[in-house]
Amino acid sequence: MIPEAAAARSRTCDDEGRSSGAVHHSEEDSGNENRQKRERRRKRAHKGSENVKRKRAKSSPGTGSQSRGSQLKHRHVEAVTLFEVVTMGRSAMQVVIDDWIQAYLTDRDFSLLNLISFFIQCSGCKGVVTAEMCQNKEDSDVMSKMVEDLDDVSGLQYKKFLAFPWILTVTWPMDTDGMEYPLIQSGPYGRWFHSEFCDFISVLVSQCQHSVLFDSYLMNTLISLLTELSNSYVRAFRHTCTLAGVKLLSSLVGVAQSLSVSMENSQKLYEVQKTKTTRQKSPLQLERIQKKITELQEKRAEIESIMDIIFKGVFLKRYRDVLPEIRSICVEELGLWMKLYSSAFLNDSYLKYMGWMMFDKIPDVRLKCVLALQGLYGDPLLLPKLDLFTSRFKDRMISMTLDRDSERPLAATAGELLYARLLNTPGGEALEESNEEEAHTQQTVARLKALLHFYQESELHTHVVYLVDSLWDCGAALLKDWPTLTSILLQESSSQRSGLTQAEQAGLVEVLVASVRQATEGPALAGRSGVKKVLSVRDKKTLTDDCATLTEHLLMVLPKLLSKFSGSGDVVASLLKIPQYFHSECPQAENVQAVSSLMEEMDSILQRHSGPAVLETAARTLLSLCGGQSAGSSIAQAARDTLVQRWVDQLTARLQEDIFSADEEKTEETVVVLKKLRAFHNCHDLSQWNLLELLSPLLPVDVSRGAAPPEVLLEVLQCLSFSVLWSLSRSSETLTTRDKAVAQRSQLRLFCERGHRCLSHADRRVRHQAFLGVCDVLTAHSYQLHVWDPSSFGPLLYIPSPKLQRALLAFVLLHVFVGPDSDGQAGAAESDEEERLEDCHRRRALLAAYCKLVVHGVLEMSMAAEVFMYYVKYCNAFGDILKELLNRTRQTDKMESTRMLLLCLQQLFTRLRRGQESGGGAQPGIQTFTSIKELARRFALTFGDHVKFRECVVMIHRNGIEFVFQEFSQSPDAPTPPHLSYLTILSEFSSKLLKPDKKTVLSYLQKHTAEHVVDLREDSWQPLAYYRASMLAAAEGEDAVSHVSSDRKLYLPNRSPNSKQKVEGSKSPCLFSPADSRARAQRLSHPEKTADADPFSVPADPPATNLTVAASISGGNEGDDDIVEIEM
């Protein structure tokens, strides 16, 4: 920093002496009158701040006694710089800034250096600032020196920029770039500094507005400084000076407002003087008022010009900054300018930035936009200027209430804006009603119609819970008015009071269910952050009261609603969700008559509907109602048992008949009964009805012969898998003897064998369900074995047969990795995108089920090697599943997981080799050499921690060397190992070796090649040369190609022109050591020969390693830790 402003001033004076012309300090006549008035107003006894005292002490030593007397009188502001005064409060700021203004009037260059030092200090920079005078800012030589770069020799970062009349150079250590600066420091200090820093700028402009603000010198320098630093690559400078720039503009807006008020008052006074009679008029006074008006107009024009310069120099360059904090600052201040100075800023030229920023990916930025717009729409005088903006960005403002990935404060603010503009207007008809209750109902109906109209026009029906969550804070009274909501729903569609269409009634049911969920569970939605995780006592009490209220009312009304909407499956499915939120401890929940009425309506609905949504919702609702020991729970349990017994009896009677050879109507009735049993068996334990014994005969022993229809088999497989899963989950209660454990294992074996046969069924749905059922049952069995207490009797071990294991693997390879990869599907999926997504979802479910078998130890890890062969081709579709499988297997056994990857690569290489030897064309399951090498590179990237995976990487190299040289005996007919090209693939793991291990691996390689005649100049031995070069390159920081290439140009790190000049013109060490030069000289003596077309040979142009900025700076040495990360 500038610890002593005098030091900078001395350098400046020297520069002035050497320059051809001095900088003349012109005393502007326009500021004399204001300066004299300010002198008369100042009654303070002290003479100045520390900076003024330093200067005066240096120029006139005789004034020391006066300075000491001032210090004794005003100790609260003694010996402070502008940066230190930030910590002393607003009153101290006013005193010190007044003293700074006095110093500026005496020596403005010296005072400007103090102000420049203040802003650089606030950025957290602890470097050095040097200043030199600039005679002409349009000089091309001067502008060419304005750079921001890194000095490799000194290890310092520097930025040279023009803040006319100064050329400033800021230099700081590069290791301090990542340190915290005051604005982002954690805790209360960061927030406090932000507030005080903004206050300082406001006080500075306020104190200068009557004196030096219009001298055309202070603002020019200050704007140049803030504009240059706000465009810096360094985050601290960019963040701090952007905040300073926009706050400076906000303060100037206040000055412009005061000038406008003065103009209006002077204009009124002028009009009053003009209306006077000729005798009362004073021409001199009119001329003086007119002159004052003209002066005020000129000042306001100058202020608006300055604001425009700051807007273009700071805001336009930073409102799209990579840092969201900077974007938030810009948007927040833009809203303030529009509200305070609407005549200049509230127009379409500025509103468009607000509209664009509503599409920002960061929720906090969008929140600032909504808050700013909320303030604008809340002022009736500003609404006419927002018409075009509203029509252009109305859709975006509406959709923000339904954003799933936004923070809840943003959604709530958008909901408040929607509520204020759409729902907070009372209906005219409601005001005419004399009855207060009728008026309330009519007003509620009007608001609900407006909400439903918006809900239907948005066409985002699946997001109704997010819409209700957005409106909850401001419209909870409307949404929690369940008596009015249900009364509207129970009215006839022809009623004049409601007049809701069927679509509006269905939408109102969705809103009702969402409000019930919101009242019981709170604002805990997936994808929305910013929600309080710990509820206060008041919030908990509110939730409890709301649960009791809705339980008391809806338990009585819900049967009527179900009866009215019993014909609509979607509406009934939504209404059946409501009992899941009932409060079981509520006294009304013990109402036996109400619960019985609800059960009767549910029974009637289940007899009428067999859709999956209705069945699954009814099963979950009964599960919620059956829990507990209350009288209502007993009624619900009895109703559930009655339903299941009825369905079992119907199914038993139909199975005794030859229903599958009869007409399709009876088959459909059987399928409906099976669907109901399957839906309830998923949520309820139906073991007492022994469905496993009842339905097992339906699974075919031989799928080629006559069997049940696919629709029946599909439901039977799901019911049987649920039966086995329930049996495994209740093992602690049921397995009391060995006979029961043996019986359970027999059931498990029977289901797996029958499911195995169904894997070859002609119907695709049956095959998929059989595979998922077998995988789920085996996974659950393995989990029970792992969590079982060995001291008690538990389930017996069941190991799937090798034939079943191979069948599961073959099924995955046949049904998952089929067709083109995900990228190739994009073009063909345009005709039917929904069908493609459904197919991808089914394939992902199959792959995930198989991967769970490997993770839980049902299958050996080697069984996953075939799956990883398709990692590169299907990375977009299944990459996340395969990565999770690799992470889980490493947590279990990282060595065995590494062997799995090795087996995958070696099998692919062996297949490619055999395919090339056979001379055939492209065959399924055979990948190219390039794709295998790319797969190895992807595998190598997963070994991030070199120390953690040290043993694994060494094993990869040792195993690979053994794979290449095992059982190889050199002869004239076989001069090289048949698998020698595998070393090129193995070289992808060389960079993951530690330095001591590289020597070990090279020694191990030398041990296997010592007994053979090796000539690295021959094309046949190029893979070995490439592999050895990769080991050396990994140690020296170069690419393997530079060790095997001779006639190619040596690759040097990319450097910018500035850094290249510094390297050439400095005495910094060269990028490569003498040993590297000798090694390259030796390689240059052996010209490289052109490789043949053999796919197992080294590729003609191996991919070079991309050197990053960090690599360029460090010179490729591993031990160099001085790596600079510059945020662009």
Side-chain angles (χ1 to χ4, degrees), residues 878-910:
F878 313 122
D880 55 338
I881 299 176
L882 296 178
K883 288 178 183 178
E884 185 64 20
L885 172 61
L886 183 58
N887 293 334
R888 293 294 186 91
T889 53
R890 281 179 176 172
Q891 294 175 7
T892 304
D893 189 344
K894 62 181 179 181
M895 299 298 291
E896 189 64 26
S897 176
T898 305
R899 292 189 185 94
M900 172 187 65
L901 301 181
L902 282 175
L903 180 62
C904 172
L905 294 174
Q906 292 173 6
Q907 285 182 353
L908 284 174
F909 182 84
T910 304

Side-chain angles (χ1 to χ4, degrees), residues 487-496 498-500 505 564:
S487 64
I488 295 174
L489 287 173
L490 289 174
Q491 292 174 3
E492 297 297 331
S493 301
S494 59
S495 175
Q496 297 297 326
S498 63
L500 297 180
Q505 289 178 347
K564 179 181 179 180

Side-chain angles (χ1 to χ4, degrees), residues 368-483:
K368 292 295 190 295
C369 291
V370 175
L371 290 174
L373 291 175
Q374 190 176 9
L376 296 178
Y377 280 105
D379 191 345
L381 299 177
L382 304 180
L383 291 179
K385 297 183 178 181
L386 296 171
D387 292 340
L388 182 60
F389 174 82
T390 304
S391 62
R392 171 64 180 83
F393 295 99
K394 176 183 177 181
D395 294 339
R396 178 53 189 156
M397 287 189 288
I398 290 175
S399 64
M400 288 177 71
T401 62
L402 306 172
D403 285 349
R404 294 187 57 187
D405 60 340
S406 63
E407 293 184 357
R408 192 174 186 278
L410 168 61
T413 306
E416 291 178 6
L417 180 61
L418 173 66
Y419 187 85
R421 299 287 297 169
L422 188 64
L423 306 178
N424 202 23
T425 303
E429 299 178 0
L431 298 178
E432 298 176 0
E433 297 287 344
S434 57
N435 190 347
E436 182 179 354
E437 183 178 354
E438 290 292 333
H440 172 71
T441 303
Q442 290 293 350
Q443 186 178 13
T444 303
V445 170
R447 291 180 176 180
L448 289 175
K449 281 187 175 182
L451 178 62
L452 292 173
H453 181 69
F454 161 74
Y455 171 61
Q456 293 175 346
E457 281 194 345
S458 64
E459 297 181 354
L460 297 172
H461 301 286
T462 57
H463 289 175
V464 63
V465 291
Y466 295 92
L467 174 62
V468 170
D469 179 56
S470 302
L471 296 171
W472 193 255
D473 292 346
C474 57
L478 173 65
L479 297 173
K480 289 196 298 184
D481 191 1
W482 296 300

Side-chain angles (χ1 to χ4, degrees), residues 569-570 572-574 576-577 610-620 678:
D570 295 335
V572 166
S574 299
L576 286 176
K577 296 178 183 178
S610 60
V614 175
L615 294 179
E616 292 175 5
T617 306
R620 294 182 181 275
R678 183 257 305 164

